[in-house]
Amino acid sequence: MHSIKTARYRAVDTGYRRCPAVAGDLDAIMRQIAGRNVLVTIAFADVNAARWQIALVRHYVPGVVHVIVDNSPTPETASRVRHVAEAEGALYLQLPRNPWTGKAPSRSHGLALNWTWHNLIRPAAPTGFGFIDDDLFPTAGDDPFAPLATQDCYGQVRRIGSRWFLWAGFCMFRFDKVADLPLDFGQDWFLGLDTGGGNWEPLYSGIDLATFREAETRFVPFRPDLAIEDGPLQWVGTWLHEVGLMGRPDLFEEKRNTVETLITPHLAAAMRPFVEKEPASS
């Protein structure tokens, strides 16, 4: 039964990655990231987070190319995300319609990551590449690619028994070390591994975790009177993660307001003046 399900998921993945981008110039973006370090955000229908993150990455992570790969479910929202990406200076691609959207968020995310790996990263051959969640915000100067000088990948480790993987919301890779591997940024549910866990077999199983430098992380409640599970924020070094899908839904708006308050001083220095215009058509 497991093998049947796995084959079905892989068939969907393989078919999806052959679909062309809906918007954005894929060839031009490949030329711009070749031989450079590239950060890729899988965006999902959060226009404000996109604008905040793009500005903060530009300000605090200089020297990288930032690409927004948009997994938003509607053309209207995708158009707005594209508008803020172009206004703030990020590169933009809109993914084809994702068959897992509205059904399985983690699978939707994994499918988007695999599309990006096969269609953008692998053919472009950047020096290093990384994936970050769309609600993850740097709050100080940082070079997340620096650890790749001494190891093949870097990020926040998640452990499941004797196995581990890098959280798909903050993971960096040396392209020359993984280019020929059959990477899979989806889940391996049968081993208990979430999005990104499909890389256990081709990549992480060959790395000695005892000598691996990982990103420091901690979870805190966004309000001191709350339990962490009711309203978590995550710090990955100096990067603030809203953890948008975790916690009590009735607190999501208040948590978003808290995040905005925390990053407002940084945004004041980072953001470009925003000019209203008609959203770009695809």
Side-chain angles (χ1 to χ4, degrees):
M1 185 64 175
H2 287 177
S3 62
I4 294 173
K5 288 184 177 179
T6 301
R8 186 180 304 144
Y9 294 144
R10 287 177 177 168
V12 171
D13 192 343
T14 301
Y16 182 76
R17 77 176 66 145
R18 294 172 180 164
C19 298
V22 174
D25 191 332
L26 179 62
D27 290 336
I29 293 175
M30 285 195 289
R31 290 192 294 270
Q32 291 181 73
I33 72 173
R36 299 186 63 186
N37 288 330
V38 57
L39 276 179
V40 176
T41 299
I42 304 298
F44 190 82
D46 194 332
V47 179
N48 284 335
R51 187 181 181 213
W52 298 340
Q53 185 191 72
I54 294 165
L56 292 171
V57 166
R58 184 183 67 243
H59 187 68
Y60 283 127
V61 195
V64 304
V65 184
H66 190 192
V67 181
I68 302 298
V69 176
D70 195 354
N71 196 32
S72 295
T74 67
E76 294 77 17
T77 304
S79 182
R80 295 176 63 204
V81 173
R82 180 179 182 180
H83 176 37
V84 299
E86 292 173 348
E88 289 295 337
L91 305 178
Y92 178 87
L93 286 172
Q94 183 184 347
L95 290 171
R97 185 179 181 278
N98 195 312
W100 294 112
T101 296
K103 302 175 183 176
S106 291
R107 288 206 176 277
S108 175
H109 189 192
L111 204 60
L113 292 168
N114 280 335
W115 187 98
T116 304
W117 164 245
H118 286 282
N119 290 280
L120 175 63
I121 302 298
R122 203 169 195 176
T127 297
F129 67 97
F131 293 116
I132 56 176
D133 262 11
D134 66 348
D135 60 345
L136 183 69
F137 309 106
T139 64
D142 189 34
D143 179 4
F145 294 99
L148 300 186
T150 57
Q151 57 191 48
D152 297 349
C153 54
Y154 172 71
Q156 191 244 308
V157 171
R158 291 189 172 178
R159 297 165 176 81
I160 304 293
S162 61
R163 299 179 177 90
W164 63 276
F165 63 102
L166 292 181
W167 171 48
F170 188 82
C171 52
M172 315 295 150
F173 304 87
R174 270 188 59 169
F175 179 77
D176 63 336
K177 296 297 185 180
V178 301
D180 297 326
L181 299 179
L183 295 186
D184 179 2
F185 292 91
Q187 302 88 347
D188 194 333
W189 284 126
F190 305 128
L191 295 178
L193 306 178
D194 202 352
T195 311
N199 283 322
W200 162 254
E201 189 63 38
L203 177 59
Y204 303 133
S205 62
I207 297 174
D208 182 3
L209 191 55
T211 63
F212 185 80
R213 175 185 171 187
E214 62 181 282
E216 295 181 1
T217 189
R218 60 190 174 94
F219 286 87
V220 297
F222 79 86
R223 209 174 66 201
D225 60 319
L226 293 174
I228 290 177
E229 60 268 22
D230 288 335
L233 295 177
Q234 180 185 15
W235 286 97
V236 184
T238 57
W239 295 65
L240 175 62
H241 182 213
E242 184 178 357
V243 202
L245 292 179
M246 292 179 62
R248 284 167 38 190
D250 62 302
L251 296 174
F252 284 175
E253 183 177 355
E254 185 181 355
K255 184 165 74 164
R256 167 54 62 97
N257 291 338
T258 299
V259 168
E260 184 173 7
T261 298
L262 289 170
I263 64 175
T264 288
H266 306 283
L267 292 173
M271 271 190 167
R272 296 175 174 173
F274 194 62
V275 178
E276 289 292 341
K277 64 178 183 178
E278 289 297 318
S281 62
S282 59

